[in-house]
Amino acid sequence: MSHDAVVQAATDSDGGSPVFVLVLCFFLVMGAIQVIRPQLLWKANARLQKGWVKNPQATEPTSRGYAMNRAVGVIFLGLVIWMLVQQL
């Protein structure tokens, strides 16, 4: 398939898939949690470390680590919002 055909197929879209929009909304909520309270995501995922790490509590990020999580979350939210706007 040529590049022009791909671009044409992408522009002929009559709107977003409802399922894709729903998934993007879920990502939007997760990104907001990552920006507002990244500790909640760490606590939710800490249970997954139990078989691999002796002390999962010792792997909690520092305040600088949480700041980095927030910065990545802001970038992620920007991309998700851009994708949502493109779908609607």
Side-chain angles (χ1 to χ4, degrees):
M1 189 175 242
S2 71
H3 174 55
D4 294 333
V6 171
V7 171
Q8 183 64 31
T11 58
D12 285 344
S13 171
D14 61 345
S17 163
V19 174
F20 187 62
V21 171
L22 187 64
V23 169
L24 286 176
C25 289
F26 173 74
F27 285 156
L28 186 70
V29 170
M30 293 303 290
I33 291 171
Q34 184 174 354
V35 171
I36 297 169
R37 293 281 307 211
Q39 298 88 350
L40 293 177
L41 292 177
W42 180 82
K43 287 178 185 176
N45 292 319
R47 285 182 261 130
L48 299 174
Q49 298 179 7
K50 286 194 178 180
W52 304 16
V53 179
K54 288 182 183 179
N55 185 5
Q57 299 299 325
T59 64
E60 183 173 7
T62 62
S63 60
R64 291 174 80 187
Y66 282 132
M68 188 63 174
N69 280 339
R70 285 187 173 102
V72 170
V74 167
I75 294 168
F76 180 75
L77 275 177
L79 289 172
V80 169
I81 289 170
W82 178 75
M83 291 172 69
L84 270 172
V85 168
Q86 294 297 317
Q87 290 296 313
L88 302 176

